[in-house]
Amino acid sequence: GEDVEQSLFLSVREGDSSVINCTYTDSSSTYLYWYKQEPGAGLQLLTYIFSNMDMKQDQRLTVLLNKKDKHLSLRIADTQTGDSAIYFCAESLRSSGSARQLTFGSGTQLTVLP
Amino acid sequence: DTAVSQTPKYLVTQMGNDKSIKCEQNLGHDTMYWYKQDSKKFLKIMFSYNNKELIINETVPNRFSPKSPDKAHLNLHINSLELGDSAVYFCASSLGTLTNEQYFGPGTRLTVT
């Protein structure tokens, strides 16, 4: 299967941490990605993690990967109003030949309350 | 210095018409993609070209025809537009086909009336 699942909505208070969760299906995924989409804009690559890693930290962002449970999470520390957006996780699946393609989750709408 | 650009940003047209969306990237990438995002924000790949060669062709009506004149451009032509074609169409590009670190354009919002 190629379903990547995320919860649709998350609300947090400014200054709190946000945790966005994602489950994926293909254990052969080599890279897993987090993208951010602000209103009326395209997707912006936030970070990615290689499948042989458990954790990756990049400033306020922490990605955790549990390969056994096929679970990926994105933690945003000290969440700001500018972090309000839709967050997509994506897994990289083999398509045809050597090509790989991204399969996206449904996106999680993060709302940061003042 | 826009990395991935699309034109037009908005497109409103009537059923049955034919329209094109253009995409250009100045990142030196060799792989380009078209995605469709529906009203529920679900994002699905449609096509991918690597060095002007079609490498991904998902189940898309043959009214949709991509064309890549060179590595920096990927256009999407849609014939006989239908109401269900209304969506936001995103172009993206990457270097190679393996890591999928893709960079997206701002999107083209297509409304078919």
Side-chain angles (χ1 to χ4, degrees):
Chain A
E2 297 181 356
D3 289 340
V4 179
E5 296 188 351
Q6 302 176 237
S7 53
L8 291 181
F9 302 100
L10 177 65
S11 291
V12 299
R13 294 259 173 222
E14 192 173 11
D16 289 348
S17 291
S18 308
V19 179
I20 303 170
N21 294 302
C22 171
T23 56
Y24 61 97
T25 56
D26 195 318
S27 57
S28 69
S29 293
T30 53
Y31 289 92
L32 294 137
Y33 300 82
W34 284 104
Y35 281 83
K36 176 184 181 183
Q37 185 180 28
E38 295 181 3
L43 276 72
Q44 172 196 354
L45 177 62
L46 281 181
T47 187
Y48 63 90
I49 188 167
F50 189 53
S51 58
N52 68 354
M53 298 169 67
D54 297 325
M55 185 183 87
K56 180 179 180 181
Q57 187 153 2
D58 184 1
Q59 298 182 334
R60 292 190 298 122
L61 305 179
T62 303
V63 179
L64 294 178
L65 175 61
N66 180 329
K67 270 196 88 171
K68 176 175 165 290
D69 295 337
K70 300 194 186 74
H71 184 264
L72 182 72
S73 68
L74 174 69
R75 179 177 180 269
I76 306 173
D78 187 25
T79 313
Q80 303 297 307
T81 54
D83 295 324
S84 292
I86 300 176
Y87 290 80
F88 291 91
C89 70
E91 62 175 337
S92 174
L93 296 176
R94 186 173 297 280
S95 176
S96 57
S98 61
R100 301 186 76 91
Q101 67 181 61
L102 290 180
T103 296
F104 286 86
S106 54
T108 298
Q109 172 73 59
L110 174 64
T111 302
V112 182
L113 306 171
Chain B
D1 52 346
T2 305
V4 182
S5 59
Q6 296 179 227
T7 53
K9 189 166 173 63
Y10 300 97
L11 184 53
V12 181
T13 188
Q14 291 184 326
M15 283 175 58
N17 285 347
D18 303 337
K19 290 293 178 187
S20 291
I21 307 172
K22 295 187 176 185
C23 178
E24 177 180 0
Q25 53 92 8
N26 63 4
L27 296 167
H29 290 166
D30 56 2
T31 307
M32 297 184 73
Y33 311 80
W34 277 112
Y35 288 88
K36 178 180 180 181
Q37 187 176 45
D38 63 21
S39 58
K40 295 182 179 174
K41 303 296 184 184
F42 184 68
L43 199 66
K44 181 115 173 90
I45 190 164
M46 301 172 69
F47 302 103
S48 177
Y49 272 73
N50 173 251
N51 286 317
K52 302 193 298 174
E53 182 182 336
L54 181 66
I55 57 169
I56 295 173
N57 185 0
E58 290 296 296
T59 307
V60 175
N62 57 16
R63 298 182 295 104
F64 290 79
S65 52
K67 187 167 284 189
S68 181
D70 55 57
K71 288 195 300 184
H73 296 83
L74 180 62
N75 303 322
L76 183 65
H77 188 76
I78 316 169
N79 289 327
S80 303
L81 278 154
E82 300 178 357
L83 294 176
D85 297 332
S86 295
V88 181
Y89 292 84
F90 287 100
C91 176
S93 71
S94 67
L95 188 61
T97 61
L98 297 181
T99 63
N100 283 133
E101 193 171 328
Q102 296 181 18
Y103 293 81
F104 281 75
T108 296
R109 182 175 291 277
L110 171 65
T111 304
V112 182
T113 62

